[in-house]
Amino acid sequence: YQAKSAGGGYRLYQAAMGTDLAKRLTLAKRLRQALDGGKLQLYYQPQFDLGRGCVIGAEALLRWNDPELGWVSPAEFIPVAEERGMMNELGDWVLREACRQLNAWEAAGMRFEGRLAINVSAIQMEDPGVVDRLLGIVQQARLSPARFDLELTESSMMRDPERAVQVLESLGAAGFGLSIDDFGTGYSSLSYLKRFAADQIKIDISFVQNMLVDVNDHTIVTTIIVMARSLGLKTTAEGVEHEDQAAALRALGCDNAQGYHFGRPVAAQVFGEHWLTPSPTA
Ligand code: C2E
Ligand code: MG
Ligand code: MG
Ligand code: MG
Protein backbone atom coordinates (compact mmCIF):
# COMPACT_ATOMS: atom_id res chain seq x y z
CA TYR A 1 0.00 0.00 0.00
CA GLN A 2 2.76 2.36 1.00
CA ALA A 3 4.73 1.79 -2.20
CA LYS A 4 1.64 2.17 -4.28
CA SER A 5 0.55 5.42 -2.67
CA ALA A 6 4.10 6.77 -2.87
CA GLY A 7 4.21 5.90 -6.56
CA GLY A 8 0.80 7.40 -7.09
CA GLY A 9 1.94 10.51 -5.30
CA TYR A 10 4.91 10.79 -7.59
CA ARG A 11 2.82 10.37 -10.71
CA LEU A 12 0.42 13.00 -9.44
CA TYR A 13 3.34 15.34 -8.82
CA GLN A 14 4.62 14.76 -12.37
CA ALA A 15 1.18 15.34 -13.79
CA ALA A 16 0.91 18.59 -11.86
CA MET A 17 4.28 19.74 -13.22
CA GLY A 18 3.19 18.87 -16.75
CA THR A 19 -0.07 20.76 -16.35
CA ASP A 20 1.81 23.73 -14.98
CA LEU A 21 4.15 23.86 -17.97
CA ALA A 22 1.29 23.43 -20.42
CA LYS A 23 -0.63 26.16 -18.62
CA ARG A 24 2.28 28.57 -18.83
CA LEU A 25 2.66 27.92 -22.55
CA THR A 26 -1.05 28.54 -23.08
CA LEU A 27 -0.84 31.69 -20.98
CA ALA A 28 2.13 32.95 -23.00
CA LYS A 29 0.36 32.32 -26.30
CA ARG A 30 -2.87 33.95 -25.22
CA LEU A 31 -1.07 36.87 -23.60
CA ARG A 32 0.70 37.55 -26.90
CA GLN A 33 -2.70 37.60 -28.64
CA ALA A 34 -4.17 39.88 -25.97
CA LEU A 35 -1.24 42.30 -26.26
CA ASP A 36 -1.40 42.34 -30.07
CA GLY A 37 -5.18 42.56 -30.07
CA GLY A 38 -5.44 45.43 -27.59
CA LYS A 39 -7.29 43.29 -25.06
CA LEU A 40 -5.35 44.32 -21.97
CA GLN A 41 -6.65 47.00 -19.64
CA LEU A 42 -5.37 49.16 -16.84
CA TYR A 43 -7.39 49.52 -13.65
CA TYR A 44 -6.73 52.34 -11.23
CA GLN A 45 -6.67 52.20 -7.44
CA PRO A 46 -6.74 55.46 -5.44
CA GLN A 47 -3.96 56.31 -3.01
CA PHE A 48 -4.84 58.39 0.06
CA ASP A 49 -3.13 60.89 2.29
CA LEU A 50 -3.84 59.36 5.74
CA GLY A 51 -3.70 62.66 7.59
CA ARG A 52 -5.85 64.74 5.28
CA GLY A 53 -8.02 61.88 4.04
CA CYS A 54 -7.85 62.93 0.40
CA VAL A 55 -6.82 61.20 -2.84
CA ILE A 56 -3.23 61.94 -3.77
CA GLY A 57 -2.82 59.66 -6.75
CA ALA A 58 -3.53 56.22 -8.11
CA GLU A 59 -1.75 53.01 -8.98
CA ALA A 60 -2.25 51.58 -12.47
CA LEU A 61 -2.73 47.80 -12.36
CA LEU A 62 -2.85 45.47 -15.36
CA ARG A 63 -6.05 43.57 -15.97
CA TRP A 64 -6.61 40.78 -18.50
CA ASN A 65 -9.94 39.14 -19.15
CA ASP A 66 -9.33 36.35 -21.64
CA PRO A 67 -12.37 35.00 -23.54
CA GLU A 68 -11.34 31.40 -22.75
CA LEU A 69 -9.30 31.63 -19.54
CA GLY A 70 -11.38 34.31 -17.82
CA TRP A 71 -9.68 36.86 -15.56
CA VAL A 72 -5.99 36.08 -15.21
CA SER A 73 -4.13 37.73 -12.32
CA PRO A 74 -1.05 39.84 -13.10
CA ALA A 75 0.69 37.85 -10.34
CA GLU A 76 0.28 34.91 -12.72
CA PHE A 77 0.94 36.45 -16.13
CA ILE A 78 3.70 38.98 -15.33
CA PRO A 79 6.18 36.14 -14.55
CA VAL A 80 5.16 34.48 -17.83
CA ALA A 81 5.76 37.71 -19.75
CA GLU A 82 9.16 38.04 -18.05
CA GLU A 83 10.10 34.45 -18.90
CA ARG A 84 8.95 34.63 -22.52
CA GLY A 85 10.68 37.88 -23.45
CA MET A 86 7.49 39.96 -23.55
CA MET A 87 8.03 42.14 -20.49
CA ASN A 88 9.67 45.13 -22.12
CA GLU A 89 6.92 45.33 -24.71
CA LEU A 90 4.26 44.87 -22.03
CA GLY A 91 5.90 47.48 -19.81
CA ASP A 92 5.99 49.96 -22.69
CA TRP A 93 2.31 49.32 -23.32
CA VAL A 94 1.43 49.98 -19.67
CA LEU A 95 3.19 53.36 -19.59
CA ARG A 96 1.85 54.38 -23.02
CA GLU A 97 -1.69 53.45 -21.99
CA ALA A 98 -1.34 55.30 -18.67
CA CYS A 99 -0.19 58.42 -20.57
CA ARG A 100 -3.06 58.09 -23.00
CA GLN A 101 -5.51 57.83 -20.08
CA LEU A 102 -4.09 60.87 -18.27
CA ASN A 103 -4.51 62.91 -21.44
CA ALA A 104 -7.99 61.47 -22.03
CA TRP A 105 -9.18 62.41 -18.53
CA GLU A 106 -7.82 65.89 -19.05
CA ALA A 107 -9.49 66.20 -22.46
CA ALA A 108 -12.78 65.12 -20.85
CA GLY A 109 -12.48 67.93 -18.31
CA MET A 110 -11.36 65.79 -15.37
CA ARG A 111 -8.40 66.86 -13.33
CA PHE A 112 -5.96 64.17 -12.18
CA GLU A 113 -3.85 65.68 -9.46
CA GLY A 114 -0.98 63.90 -7.80
CA ARG A 115 0.95 61.05 -9.23
CA LEU A 116 0.07 58.02 -11.27
CA ALA A 117 2.01 55.01 -10.00
CA ILE A 118 3.33 52.55 -12.58
CA ASN A 119 4.83 49.16 -11.73
CA VAL A 120 8.15 48.49 -13.43
CA SER A 121 9.52 44.94 -13.53
CA ALA A 122 13.08 43.76 -12.87
CA ILE A 123 13.37 42.82 -16.54
CA GLN A 124 12.63 46.39 -17.60
CA MET A 125 15.34 47.65 -15.24
CA GLU A 126 17.88 45.29 -16.80
CA ASP A 127 17.47 46.98 -20.20
CA PRO A 128 20.47 49.32 -20.55
CA GLY A 129 18.19 51.82 -22.32
CA VAL A 130 15.49 51.78 -19.63
CA VAL A 131 15.70 55.47 -18.71
CA ASP A 132 15.47 56.78 -22.30
CA ARG A 133 12.82 54.22 -23.04
CA LEU A 134 10.47 55.30 -20.22
CA LEU A 135 11.27 59.00 -20.64
CA GLY A 136 10.64 58.74 -24.40
CA ILE A 137 7.14 57.35 -23.89
CA VAL A 138 6.21 60.10 -21.44
CA GLN A 139 7.66 62.87 -23.63
CA GLN A 140 5.88 61.54 -26.70
CA ALA A 141 2.61 61.98 -24.76
CA ARG A 142 3.72 65.53 -23.85
CA LEU A 143 3.60 64.74 -20.15
CA SER A 144 6.09 65.49 -17.43
CA PRO A 145 7.82 62.53 -15.73
CA ALA A 146 6.93 64.25 -12.43
CA ARG A 147 3.35 63.09 -12.94
CA PHE A 148 4.47 59.49 -12.47
CA ASP A 149 5.68 57.42 -9.62
CA LEU A 150 7.61 54.36 -10.76
CA GLU A 151 7.20 51.39 -8.41
CA LEU A 152 10.10 48.96 -8.31
CA THR A 153 9.95 46.04 -5.92
CA GLU A 154 12.57 45.77 -3.23
CA SER A 155 13.39 42.21 -4.35
CA SER A 156 13.87 43.24 -8.00
CA MET A 157 16.25 45.97 -6.89
CA MET A 158 18.25 43.52 -4.78
CA ARG A 159 18.88 41.26 -7.79
CA ASP A 160 21.62 43.70 -8.76
CA PRO A 161 21.64 46.46 -6.14
CA GLU A 162 24.61 48.40 -7.57
CA ARG A 163 22.83 48.68 -10.88
CA ALA A 164 19.57 49.58 -9.11
CA VAL A 165 21.38 52.45 -7.35
CA GLN A 166 22.41 53.82 -10.76
CA VAL A 167 19.09 53.28 -12.52
CA LEU A 168 17.18 54.94 -9.69
CA GLU A 169 19.60 57.85 -9.71
CA SER A 170 19.02 58.36 -13.45
CA LEU A 171 15.25 57.92 -13.29
CA GLY A 172 15.09 60.38 -10.41
CA ALA A 173 17.30 62.86 -12.26
CA ALA A 174 14.96 62.53 -15.26
CA GLY A 175 12.14 63.69 -12.98
CA PHE A 176 10.23 60.50 -12.18
CA GLY A 177 8.92 59.86 -8.66
CA LEU A 178 10.27 56.58 -7.27
CA SER A 179 8.81 54.08 -4.82
CA ILE A 180 10.17 50.84 -3.41
CA ASP A 181 7.29 48.36 -3.66
CA ASP A 182 6.58 45.37 -1.39
CA PHE A 183 9.04 46.72 1.13
CA GLY A 184 10.08 44.33 3.89
CA THR A 185 10.15 41.23 1.70
CA GLY A 186 13.29 41.91 -0.34
CA TYR A 187 16.17 41.81 2.15
CA SER A 188 17.71 45.16 1.33
CA SER A 189 20.16 46.59 3.84
CA LEU A 190 20.06 49.98 5.47
CA SER A 191 23.13 51.02 3.53
CA TYR A 192 21.39 50.31 0.21
CA LEU A 193 18.22 51.96 1.35
CA LYS A 194 20.24 55.08 1.99
CA ARG A 195 21.79 54.92 -1.50
CA PHE A 196 18.58 54.17 -3.42
CA ALA A 197 17.32 57.54 -4.67
CA ALA A 198 13.70 56.68 -3.85
CA ASP A 199 11.05 59.10 -2.58
CA GLN A 200 8.84 56.55 -0.95
CA ILE A 201 8.58 53.08 0.56
CA LYS A 202 5.47 50.94 0.16
CA ILE A 203 5.03 48.70 3.20
CA ASP A 204 4.17 45.21 2.00
CA ILE A 205 0.57 44.09 2.31
CA SER A 206 1.52 41.04 4.43
CA PHE A 207 2.70 43.20 7.35
CA VAL A 208 -0.19 45.65 7.09
CA GLN A 209 -2.82 42.91 7.04
CA ASN A 210 -1.45 41.25 10.17
CA MET A 211 -0.32 44.31 12.13
CA LEU A 212 -3.30 44.24 14.49
CA VAL A 213 -3.19 40.49 15.11
CA ASP A 214 0.54 39.78 15.19
CA VAL A 215 2.75 41.87 17.44
CA ASN A 216 5.80 41.09 15.29
CA ASP A 217 4.12 42.52 12.20
CA HIS A 218 3.12 45.58 14.21
CA THR A 219 6.76 46.01 15.22
CA ILE A 220 7.92 45.64 11.61
CA VAL A 221 5.44 48.27 10.38
CA THR A 222 6.45 50.64 13.19
CA THR A 223 10.14 50.14 12.46
CA ILE A 224 9.73 50.70 8.72
CA ILE A 225 7.85 53.96 9.33
CA VAL A 226 10.44 55.27 11.81
CA MET A 227 13.35 54.22 9.59
CA ALA A 228 11.77 55.72 6.45
CA ARG A 229 11.18 59.01 8.19
CA SER A 230 14.77 59.18 9.43
CA LEU A 231 15.96 58.61 5.84
CA GLY A 232 13.60 61.28 4.49
CA LEU A 233 11.34 58.81 2.68
CA LYS A 234 7.54 58.88 2.57
CA THR A 235 5.61 55.74 3.50
CA THR A 236 2.57 54.16 1.88
CA ALA A 237 0.80 51.20 3.49
CA GLU A 238 -0.49 48.64 1.00
CA GLY A 239 -3.60 46.51 1.47
CA VAL A 240 -5.46 48.54 4.11
CA GLU A 241 -8.82 46.81 4.35
CA HIS A 242 -10.24 48.08 7.66
CA GLU A 243 -10.70 51.39 9.45
CA ASP A 244 -8.84 50.14 12.54
CA GLN A 245 -5.76 49.45 10.38
CA ALA A 246 -6.02 52.95 8.87
CA ALA A 247 -6.31 54.46 12.37
CA ALA A 248 -3.29 52.51 13.67
CA LEU A 249 -1.20 53.53 10.66
CA ARG A 250 -2.24 57.16 11.06
CA ALA A 251 -1.23 57.05 14.74
CA LEU A 252 2.18 55.66 13.75
CA GLY A 253 2.71 58.55 11.34
CA CYS A 254 2.42 56.59 8.09
CA ASP A 255 1.96 59.16 5.30
CA ASN A 256 -0.22 57.42 2.73
CA ALA A 257 -2.39 54.34 2.29
CA GLN A 258 -3.94 52.22 -0.37
CA GLY A 259 -6.41 49.36 -0.01
CA TYR A 260 -9.97 48.13 -0.27
CA HIS A 261 -10.94 50.24 2.75
CA PHE A 262 -10.31 53.35 0.65
CA GLY A 263 -11.09 52.07 -2.82
CA ARG A 264 -10.62 49.02 -5.02
CA PRO A 265 -8.86 49.05 -8.37
CA VAL A 266 -11.48 50.06 -10.96
CA ALA A 267 -11.71 50.70 -14.70
CA ALA A 268 -10.63 54.13 -15.94
CA GLN A 269 -14.16 55.40 -16.49
CA VAL A 270 -15.30 54.39 -12.99
CA PHE A 271 -12.16 55.94 -11.52
CA GLY A 272 -12.88 59.21 -13.29
CA GLU A 273 -16.49 59.28 -12.07
CA HIS A 274 -15.66 58.42 -8.46
CA TRP A 275 -12.33 60.02 -7.77
CA LEU A 276 -11.61 62.86 -10.18
CA THR A 277 -12.94 66.36 -9.88
CA PRO A 278 -14.09 68.45 -12.84
CA SER A 279 -11.43 70.89 -13.99
CA PRO A 280 -12.28 74.49 -13.17
CA THR A 281 -13.61 76.09 -16.36
CA ALA A 282 -11.68 79.06 -17.65
P1 C2E B 1 1.57 45.46 -6.31
O1 C2E B 1 2.25 46.41 -7.21
O2 C2E B 1 2.11 45.31 -4.93
O3 C2E B 1 0.05 45.91 -6.31
C1 C2E B 1 -0.80 45.83 -5.20
C2 C2E B 1 -1.71 44.63 -5.28
O4 C2E B 1 -2.51 44.57 -4.11
C3 C2E B 1 -2.68 44.68 -6.46
O5 C2E B 1 -2.90 43.33 -6.88
C4 C2E B 1 -3.96 45.22 -5.80
O6 C2E B 1 -5.13 44.88 -6.51
C5 C2E B 1 -3.89 44.53 -4.47
N1 C2E B 1 -4.63 45.22 -3.42
C6 C2E B 1 -4.84 46.54 -3.27
N2 C2E B 1 -5.52 46.81 -2.13
C7 C2E B 1 -5.74 45.61 -1.55
C8 C2E B 1 -6.41 45.21 -0.34
O7 C2E B 1 -6.93 46.02 0.44
N3 C2E B 1 -6.44 43.88 -0.07
C9 C2E B 1 -5.87 42.95 -0.89
N4 C2E B 1 -5.96 41.65 -0.55
N5 C2E B 1 -5.24 43.29 -2.04
C10 C2E B 1 -5.17 44.60 -2.36
P2 C2E B 1 -2.97 42.95 -8.43
O8 C2E B 1 -3.66 44.03 -9.19
O9 C2E B 1 -3.50 41.56 -8.50
O10 C2E B 1 -1.45 42.96 -8.85
C11 C2E B 1 -0.54 42.03 -8.30
C12 C2E B 1 0.87 42.38 -8.66
O11 C2E B 1 1.07 42.26 -10.06
C13 C2E B 1 1.25 43.83 -8.35
O12 C2E B 1 1.56 43.97 -6.96
C14 C2E B 1 2.44 44.02 -9.24
O13 C2E B 1 3.59 43.44 -8.65
C15 C2E B 1 2.05 43.19 -10.45
N6 C2E B 1 1.52 44.11 -11.49
C16 C2E B 1 0.26 44.57 -11.69
N7 C2E B 1 0.22 45.41 -12.74
C17 C2E B 1 1.49 45.50 -13.23
C18 C2E B 1 2.12 46.21 -14.29
O14 C2E B 1 1.51 47.02 -15.02
N8 C2E B 1 3.48 46.01 -14.48
C19 C2E B 1 4.20 45.17 -13.66
N9 C2E B 1 5.51 45.03 -13.89
N10 C2E B 1 3.64 44.49 -12.63
C20 C2E B 1 2.32 44.66 -12.43
MG1 MG C 1 2.83 48.35 -7.01
MG1 MG D 1 3.10 46.03 -3.53
MG1 MG E 1 2.87 42.83 -4.43
Side-chain angles (χ1 to χ4, degrees):
Y1 272 125
Q2 248 177 352
K4 199 175 170 188
S5 72
Y10 182 63
R11 271 196 302 278
L12 266 178
Y13 176 65
Q14 268 195 325
M17 295 275 285
T19 315
D20 196 49
L21 180 62
K23 197 178 170 197
R24 290 172 93 79
L25 287 172
T26 306
L27 274 184
K29 208 175 89 197
R30 302 217 45 107
L31 180 60
R32 162 68 29 226
Q33 290 169 357
L35 188 54
D36 292 341
K39 297 293 162 57
L40 298 175
Q41 273 180 281
L42 289 183
Y43 270 33
Y44 299 86
Q45 184 177 34
Q47 298 179 323
F48 277 72
D49 179 313
L50 268 171
R52 293 185 298 148
C54 60
V55 184
I56 48 143
E59 178 172 5
L61 294 159
L62 266 167
R63 289 293 178 267
W64 173 25
N65 189 3
D66 184 81
E68 278 171 33
L69 305 170
W71 290 96
V72 186
S73 159
E76 204 175 340
F77 70 78
I78 294 282
V80 172
E82 291 179 334
E83 239 169 57
R84 310 287 298 184
M86 282 188 266
M87 194 59 231
N88 273 311
E89 192 184 341
L90 184 57
D92 286 354
W93 182 84
V94 168
L95 186 55
R96 234 184 284 116
E97 171 61 14
C99 288
R100 190 201 60 74
Q101 189 59 59
L102 271 186
N103 284 326
W105 276 323
E106 213 132 289
M110 284 178 276
R111 191 214 284 266
F112 185 99
E113 280 160 359
R115 277 174 169 163
L116 185 52
I118 305 290
N119 292 287
V120 176
S121 115
I123 300 288
Q124 290 171 272
M125 280 208 293
E126 278 166 18
D127 177 354
V130 61
V131 180
D132 291 337
R133 191 167 180 147
L134 298 177
L135 196 57
I137 292 172
V138 165
Q139 286 172 339
Q140 200 170 5
R142 299 173 180 281
L143 291 167
S144 160
R147 306 213 39 201
F148 298 90
D149 197 12
L150 303 179
E151 296 192 356
L152 303 120
T153 67
E154 184 191 21
S155 52
S156 75
M157 290 170 45
M158 291 312 289
R159 274 161 57 144
D160 186 349
E162 287 299 331
R163 172 158 172 76
V165 167
Q166 286 173 11
V167 173
L168 262 73
E169 188 67 47
S170 309
L171 288 170
F176 287 105
L178 299 168
S179 293
I180 307 177
D181 205 349
D182 301 347
F183 189 81
T185 64
Y187 311 106
S188 64
S189 64
L190 270 174
S191 65
Y192 273 120
L193 202 53
K194 203 181 104 189
R195 292 176 61 207
F196 290 144
D199 307 292
Q200 178 168 246
I201 280 174
K202 295 188 79 176
I203 307 167
D204 191 67
I205 192 165
S206 58
F207 307 119
V208 174
Q209 296 206 322
N210 289 323
M211 68 180 284
L212 296 182
V213 290
D214 184 330
V215 69
N216 291 321
D217 288 313
H218 192 278
T219 303
I220 290 170
V221 171
T222 307
T223 307
I224 293 174
I225 292 169
V226 170
M227 180 190 67
R229 190 183 302 130
S230 68
L231 290 171
L233 299 163
K234 295 256 181 200
T235 42
T236 292
E238 307 192 83
V240 178
E241 294 186 355
H242 306 288
E243 173 54 36
D244 52 359
Q245 293 165 340
L249 288 159
R250 200 177 292 120
L252 289 173
C254 183
D255 298 295
N256 307 318
Q258 191 180 336
Y260 298 166
H261 171 65
F262 295 100
R264 289 182 179 258
V266 289
Q269 190 189 334
V270 180
F271 187 86
E273 285 163 6
H274 277 72
W275 300 113
L276 299 184
T277 53
S279 300
T281 43

